[in-house]
Amino acid sequence: LYFSAQDGILLFYHIKDLQYEMKVCADISQPISSLIFSPDYTSLLLATDQGPVYSYKPAHSGEAVKLLDTCSSCFLAADFLTPGNKYCVSVTVSGEVQVWLLEDGTCLAKLNLDTEVHTT
């Protein structure tokens, strides 16, 4: 079980029977608004409500790597584009939808919805 609190720390809980063990995986020092696994469960996107999106690879147990950042508007949500793990799509609060190459964070396409976006 992966979990994050408002402090920006990604935690992993290994649960077996009635016992559990907690491990700190990454500290990005910003509140994490959502965690999204890739379709093959090899990568985890960590979206923050302050703008950046990070990638964490559980099998490598390394640090979270900043993939995307926005200057004009904060990301509201991000998710992998399937099939595969090469691309993700994001939407900003201002209504800009973007497609990103996850390998290096290159923005491949943008579409402005011309409306403010909210979650429910």
Side-chain angles (χ1 to χ4, degrees), residues 48-97:
T48 70
D49 57 5
Q50 297 178 1
V53 174
Y54 294 81
S55 173
Y56 178 77
K57 297 189 183 236
H60 297 148
S61 297
E63 285 296 311
V65 176
K66 186 187 285 187
L67 291 177
L68 318 172
D69 205 346
T70 181
C71 299
S72 60
S73 181
C74 293
F75 287 120
L76 185 60
D79 202 351
F80 289 91
L81 283 177
T82 57
N85 299 333
K86 292 179 69 172
Y87 307 98
C88 80
V89 64
S90 65
V91 64
T92 64
V93 173
S94 63
E96 186 173 79
V97 177

Side-chain angles (χ1 to χ4, degrees), residues 31-54:
I32 298 170
S33 56
S34 63
L35 306 172
I36 305 104
F37 262 107
S38 62
D40 64 0
Y41 297 98
T42 60
S43 295
L44 186 62
L45 286 182
L46 312 172
T48 70
D49 57 5
Q50 297 178 1
V53 174
Y54 294 81

